[in-house]
Amino acid sequence: MIKAVTGTKDILPSDIPRWKYLENTVERIFNSFNYKEIRTPVFEETPLFARGIGEETDIVGKEMYTFSDKSDTSLTLKPEMTAAVVRAYNEHSLGAQQSLVKLFYISPMFRQERPQAGRFRQFHQFGAEAIGSNSPLLDAEMIQMAYEILKSLGLKNLTVKINSLGTPQSRENYKKLLKNYLEEKKDRLSEDSRKRFDKNILRIFDSKVESDQLIIKDAPKITDHLDEESKIDFEVVKEQLKKSNIPFEIDSSLVRGLDYYTKLTFEIDSGSVGAQTALVGGGRYDLLIENLGGKPTPATGFAAGIERILLACENEKSLTVPEPSIDVYLIRIDDGLESFVSELGGKLRKENISVDFDYLQRSVKAQMREANRMNAKYTLFIGGDEFKAGMMNLKNMSSGEEEKISLKDINSIILKLK
Ligand code: HAM
């Protein structure tokens, strides 16, 4: 038997109600902040992500699904949306019609990571990008939207972590400080961190190796070496979060795994999902639009992993989604009524009533079991002496009440079921 590819997952009909509930919540909250949906292709030309996310990142270096098509163009399945959204923003000059463009998305992403609980090779993100303003109030809005969505899903065990990476200039100065601090300790760093020392020194903060952690815990903190503007902006974000009653921690090691960030970075972690704790990640990326060929334009955004959020909901038992149901199940009592049942079903469906009935010649008892299994609100019994007398029996499945309805009086069924 051919099975699904490692790290990918079917979303089965029994999973769908929770996905739909989450997607509806996401759309409702993004709409309330006036974000408009955008959908971009599943694959893009590889340089978009290589240039956008950064050649030295794990995503670009190790995790992208990259292939050549028949005309030898290198393509990549999107590992994240920000670069793709910026590409679309630049290509369609979205900023020409509106100076602040607020977008949201819900989409599959692809990263060839080692699969484990909460980490997949095809996973789904929802997220938002606001392009065109350098206001730290928008950074705070990102955290607020993400937090509100998680809260609306009933999640409790959440930690909001924020940091500022400063402007590129202040970050370069800080990197020098960090390099000086780590220079003499370099030999004691793990092999991975030694590589990062030369290529992408800030990423040493992401190391999970205990001996690395011991060394970096006393390193100079980036938040102590911010330029004036980043410092002020960071204060505004903190103030705004306090006003919105969102508890947060400052984590000066939060450098994030993508290179486009400037100033604010943030994550929202859950204590309910095991090792992969980050439900949400985001931050400001003021240079990405011009790096990808657009006019210099500040921007900020975030993305959240849907599978991880649903896992947290499951572990916290936070989400009670109504069982799927149908309006009415038609029960055929006698053989030979199949086409009548099917015609009646058709009429009701035209009225937007959800209807199902038996296609397998099952007994009345089996049909009743099926109606229960489908959570039918009503069953309509068709056949027997009643049918000969021109009547059918409509049963309300929650109250048990029964009522006779004339075969000619379809309208009264419609009124009841609507
Ligand atoms: P990211 O931190 O790479 O950021 O991903 C955001 C979220 O996607 C993570 O917090 C996690 O919940 C989920 N995620 C990432 N990788 C996986 C995986 N392999 N399996 C399951 N879930 C995963 C970004 O993608 C940025 N584009 C966020 C952003 C938007 N920054 C600014 N705007």
Side-chain angles (χ1 to χ4, degrees), residues 20 78 126 189 222 226 288-289 304 334 402:
K20 281 261 155 99
K78 58 184 169 190
F126 64 81
L189 288 171
I222 195 161
L226 292 176
L288 183 60
I289 287 89
D334 306 315
E402 293 187 28

Side-chain angles (χ1 to χ4, degrees), residues 364-381:
V364 172
K365 227 181 192 165
Q367 292 179 62
M368 283 163 69
R369 267 201 304 272
E370 195 64 0
N372 272 324
R373 209 181 56 76
M374 288 179 183
N375 237 337
K377 292 182 192 132
Y378 285 86
T379 43
L380 187 64
F381 291 86

Side-chain angles (χ1 to χ4, degrees), residues 59 63 79-83 105 109 111 113 118-125 127-129 256-258 260-261 267-268 276-285 300-309:
I59 296 180
E63 297 169 1
E80 62 111 44
M81 267 301 267
T82 312
Y105 47 83
M109 306 289 154
R111 296 184 194 176
E113 294 191 79
R119 192 160 72 191
F120 301 96
R121 291 183 168 172
Q122 174 172 342
F123 59 99
H124 297 75
Q125 287 184 340
E129 315 291 347
R256 311 255 315 119
L258 306 98
Y260 47 61
Y261 291 109
E267 277 184 12
I268 306 181
Q276 298 303 313
T277 56
L279 301 186
V280 174
R284 180 159 279 286
Y285 50 94
T300 183
F302 79 90
I306 297 182
E307 285 82 356
R308 266 184 218 177
I309 292 175

Side-chain angles (χ1 to χ4, degrees), residues 114 141 222 359 372:
R114 199 167 43 80
E141 181 167 295
I222 195 161
Y359 296 89
N372 272 324

